[in-house]
Amino acid sequence: MRGGRHVAAVTDASFDLAAGECLALVGESGCGKSVLASALLGLLPANAATAGAALLPGGTDLATADERLLARTVRGRRIGLVPQSPAAHLTPVRTVRSQLEETVRELTQRPRRELRAAGEVAAARASFPAGHLDRHPHQLSGGLAQRAATALALIGDAPLLLADEPTIGLDRALVDRTADELRRTVDEGRALLLITHDLAAAARIADRVAVMYAGRIVEIADAAGFFGEPGPRHPYARGLLDALPERSFRPIPGMPPELGDLPAGCAFAARCDRADDRCGSQPRFDGRVACHHAYAEDSSRA
């Protein structure tokens, strides 16, 4: 709820994620990506409401789990989180080293004599420099804080890793290094939900791509076909790729609609050069794409 009215921040989001797979969730700011991540971990504001199911292997439903269950058995143990705002997740009065060692002790039950070395190994996995381990969060740059949060998320080797903008604030070399470390966790058999604006990072490590617009998933595709041939089917997804400097460098015209004032039909119609009368109704997501024009090219080639 916002300003006394209900806002549907995420609607009809449906996807699966297998062990050993990375799904990249992409889209412009404000489309609902981080809200979805917060919902999965029970971190929404108290006035938020959810419906539906989010099932972990074994049947645990994240949508209905209470705080006690989430805090004791899910967060850190079954789902590792790389947060979008790492400073809010780091304890300000404790050094990075002490936070890493405490997390190692809590999640792995290592003896005290092994904590220092294990904390340094955790830092190295996220490219966090050993010379900064004894600093407090306020002494870190945004990029260093992000790497500290990534190191904490990787400690428990949780079977599902949820990374919300894990490369924000990093230079290109560190983006690639962080992406490669996340990919390594996937290749070891973990599942990764990567929420990102960085399409280059997504192309580097994702197996599949889900595109979100105005609170809805509008396309899910294999990464190889999405970034290569035949490319995306949804006009918005094509626009995201065309806006990249290494492609057409052509921005999508207009602005996304406010989530509290969505049109009755396709939310992208006002920005789409293919919009017609059909777009006055909400397109159905068929598991691949939600667009009235998605298969028009297929029909013309038939």
Side-chain angles (χ1 to χ4, degrees):
M1 180 173 288
R2 180 189 300 166
R5 59 176 179 162
H6 290 280
V7 175
V10 177
T11 303
D12 296 334
S14 179
F15 59 89
D16 56 17
L17 180 57
E21 180 186 32
C22 172
L23 175 67
L25 183 61
V26 303
E28 291 169 294
S29 296
C31 70
K33 303 187 304 296
S34 293
V35 172
L36 177 58
S38 296
L40 293 175
L41 286 169
L43 298 176
L44 291 173
N47 65 344
T50 60
L55 300 177
L56 291 176
T60 299
D61 188 351
L62 298 175
T64 59
D66 59 27
E67 175 59 25
R68 181 184 178 89
L69 177 64
L70 291 170
R72 291 194 172 190
T73 68
V74 174
R75 298 184 196 126
R77 291 173 173 81
R78 300 187 70 183
I79 303 179
L81 171 66
V82 181
Q84 185 177 27
S85 301
H89 288 255
L90 298 172
T91 304
V93 297
R94 300 184 60 188
T95 65
V96 174
R97 183 190 300 278
S98 68
Q99 293 181 63
L100 288 172
E101 291 180 4
E102 179 186 29
T103 304
V104 169
R105 179 183 60 80
E106 182 178 348
L107 296 182
T108 69
Q109 305 301 309
R110 285 177 181 258
R112 187 172 296 276
R113 66 179 180 276
E114 298 179 7
L115 293 182
R116 185 178 181 89
E120 291 175 354
V121 169
R125 288 181 69 184
S127 303
F128 187 90
H132 290 68
L133 280 169
D134 293 311
R135 295 188 177 187
H136 290 79
H138 74 272
Q139 297 174 301
L140 304 177
S141 66
L144 283 175
Q146 186 68 54
R147 280 182 272 169
T150 300
L152 288 167
L154 294 175
I155 284 173
D157 288 330
L160 170 60
L161 187 62
L162 200 164
D164 190 1
E165 299 290 358
T167 60
I168 195 167
L170 305 182
D171 62 36
R172 197 71 241 170
L174 281 173
V175 166
D176 291 345
R177 188 167 175 177
T178 299
D180 290 345
E181 177 59 36
L182 292 173
R183 182 67 228 186
R184 187 183 69 79
T185 69
V186 174
D187 293 338
E188 290 175 348
R190 298 176 186 88
L192 170 63
L193 178 60
L194 173 67
I195 296 173
T196 185
H197 290 90
D198 191 337
L199 293 177
R204 191 177 182 93
I205 66 173
D207 297 294
R208 290 186 297 147
V209 179
V211 182
M212 181 169 272
Y213 185 77
R216 293 178 180 270
I217 291 177
V218 297
E219 182 164 3
I220 297 180
D222 288 338
F226 185 88
F227 292 108
E229 294 294 338
R233 287 184 177 273
H234 197 282
Y236 173 64
R238 289 199 297 269
L240 288 178
L241 292 187
D242 287 343
L244 294 174
E246 62 269 25
R247 300 212 181 193
S248 303
F249 204 27
R250 185 175 63 249
I252 301 173
M255 296 291 291
E258 291 289 334
L259 293 178
D261 189 28
L262 294 175
C266 174
F268 188 63
R271 307 173 72 187
C272 182
D273 59 7
R274 302 187 69 181
D276 59 21
D277 291 344
R278 288 177 293 174
C279 303
S281 62
Q282 180 67 47
R284 182 181 63 86
F285 182 67
D286 64 2
R288 293 187 294 172
V289 64
C291 177
H292 294 296
H293 305 281
Y295 303 104
E297 294 178 5
D298 296 348
S299 299
S300 65
R301 287 196 294 263

